[in-house]
Amino acid sequence: SIFLVLIMNSCNESRDIKYLSGYWEISSVSVSGKELKNYPFSGTIDYFILDEKNNGYRKKVKPRLDGNFDITMHEIQFKINKQKNDIYLVYGKGENFKEKLVKLDSMKLILRNTDGLIYKYKRFYPKNFLDE
């Protein structure tokens, strides 16, 4: 039915990998429905870059007052791996670490690692506080 097609399309849209590239600020970590840590403000931001071949890297950056960033850690390579209806970010050369893409749209990113930890992120936009 048309209704089912609409539901399937809306489900697919909630994990559109074209939204992954950019800056993401962690908002919480939970497991089995219990929040372990809430981040009203995070000092580091996750920066993702994804190319057209579904390969990319993830890097930690620190926002500065002038709207720029300090690079705080090395980058980790990943690739997108689609298995049936699931999408995974698979890290490193050994591919022993992966995260399931639970939700992704223009403003929200949710990843679940193999230990069941759920990481919720919100889109981060650099801001220059020195011009105010």
Side-chain angles (χ1 to χ4, degrees):
S1 79
I2 292 173
F3 183 68
L4 188 59
V5 170
L6 289 174
I7 288 176
M8 294 301 287
N9 283 343
S10 67
C11 289
N12 290 341
E13 286 173 28
S14 69
R15 292 183 312 172
D16 192 337
I17 59 171
K18 75 178 182 202
Y19 292 119
L20 185 60
S21 289
Y23 299 100
W24 292 96
E25 180 179 15
I26 192 161
S27 55
S28 69
V29 179
S30 59
V31 66
S32 303
K34 293 187 195 128
E35 191 169 83
L36 299 179
K37 187 155 172 70
N38 186 22
Y39 296 86
F41 171 78
S42 177
T44 59
I45 303 298
D46 285 73
Y47 178 60
F48 289 86
I49 285 290
L50 185 65
D51 68 19
E52 62 282 343
K53 294 180 181 162
N54 287 339
N55 296 311
Y57 66 85
R58 180 178 185 171
K59 186 182 282 243
K60 296 271 189 198
V61 297
K62 272 192 173 168
R64 296 192 327 216
L65 292 176
D66 64 4
N68 291 312
F69 294 94
D70 289 327
I71 310 303
T72 58
M73 290 173 47
H74 68 285
E75 64 188 45
I76 182 167
Q77 306 288 325
F78 70 88
K79 63 185 178 190
I80 298 293
N81 187 344
K82 295 181 181 178
Q83 298 173 353
K84 296 183 183 167
N85 289 333
D86 294 327
I87 300 172
Y88 293 92
L89 279 69
V90 182
Y91 296 93
K93 290 184 171 66
E95 299 188 7
N96 55 352
F97 182 69
K98 66 183 181 180
E99 293 178 307
K100 182 177 179 180
L101 186 61
V102 177
K103 180 176 176 68
L104 175 60
D105 60 29
S106 63
M107 298 305 291
K108 187 178 278 187
L109 167 64
I110 302 175
L111 298 170
R112 183 172 62 225
N113 72 10
T114 50
D115 295 328
L117 291 171
I118 296 174
Y119 297 87
K120 293 184 181 175
Y121 297 85
K122 59 188 176 206
R123 177 71 70 186
F124 180 84
Y125 295 99
K127 182 166 173 33
N128 185 342
F129 292 96
L130 300 181
D131 284 347
E132 292 183 350

